[in-house]
Amino acid sequence: HTAAAIIRQRAEERVGRGRDLLAQGGLKVEKISLVLGPLKVVLQPDQVFQDGPVKRLRFIHANASSFSSLVKQAIAALLDAHHQAGGNKMQIEVATLSDGLTPSVGTIKAQTRPKYEAIAINLCAKHFPAAPSNERTCHFCAYMFPCSKRVSE
């Protein structure tokens, strides 16, 4: 088939990028707990690096769409809460095998912080105010994972 060569090339590129990322080593991978209000989230990165006083957590994904900007923002809010509470300095990045990029999850604006704290409080209270009307809105909802009203899986 004519597409077989292109598929093979892309697969080999991704495998090569993954191999190169893992060859960078890092510390023993551990579960890391971060707290946002009453919510405790346990992260298990694919790699952990100690860059001076900063611990850098790396998650490796096949492509950028598997780690959407909304997920990045939520993790940035979690990291922000950790730093606001005086936690050890950390950075979180997401490496993508499709393009080889490794961007940081970034930061959130100060006015965004209370929104994520309210989401954490609602999650812990098992209160999910979302009521999606169609599956397109589920993927943009802060309550997407625990919600029992999800339109489709």
Side-chain angles (χ1 to χ4, degrees):
H1 193 270
T2 57
I6 294 170
I7 292 170
R8 174 177 303 212
Q9 178 185 0
R10 288 183 183 163
E12 289 173 353
E13 287 172 356
R14 288 179 186 211
V15 168
R17 287 183 187 122
R19 183 185 58 239
D20 293 345
L21 287 168
L22 294 175
Q24 293 174 13
L27 305 173
K28 180 178 180 239
V29 175
E30 59 194 60
K31 291 181 180 179
I32 297 175
S33 297
L34 299 178
V35 176
L36 175 61
L39 183 65
K40 179 180 178 181
V41 179
V42 179
L43 302 176
Q44 186 166 1
D46 296 299
Q47 291 176 293
V48 178
F49 301 93
Q50 191 70 46
D51 302 330
V54 179
K55 186 175 278 192
R56 182 168 39 104
L57 312 181
R58 178 183 289 164
F59 295 88
I60 302 172
H61 283 261
N63 53 51
S65 65
S66 68
F67 207 81
S68 74
S69 61
L70 289 172
V71 174
K72 284 183 187 177
Q73 187 180 39
I75 289 179
L78 186 62
L79 186 59
D80 176 76
H82 171 77
H83 291 145
Q84 291 294 319
N88 296 337
K89 185 72 176 154
M90 284 192 223
Q91 179 185 18
I92 299 176
E93 62 188 24
V94 181
T96 53
L97 299 178
S98 60
D99 58 17
L101 299 177
T102 308
S104 168
V105 294
T107 59
I108 60 168
K109 296 179 181 177
Q111 66 264 28
T112 305
R113 188 175 302 125
K115 294 176 186 175
Y116 278 97
E117 289 170 354
I119 290 169
I121 290 167
N122 283 335
L123 285 170
C124 290
K126 297 184 179 182
H127 175 68
F128 313 123
S133 58
N134 65 58
E135 65 185 65
R136 293 184 66 163
T137 59
C138 280
H139 298 290
F140 296 104
C141 179
Y143 303 98
M144 180 176 84
F145 295 108
C147 182
S148 62
K149 299 176 185 176
R150 289 179 72 178
V151 176
S152 68
E153 294 295 326

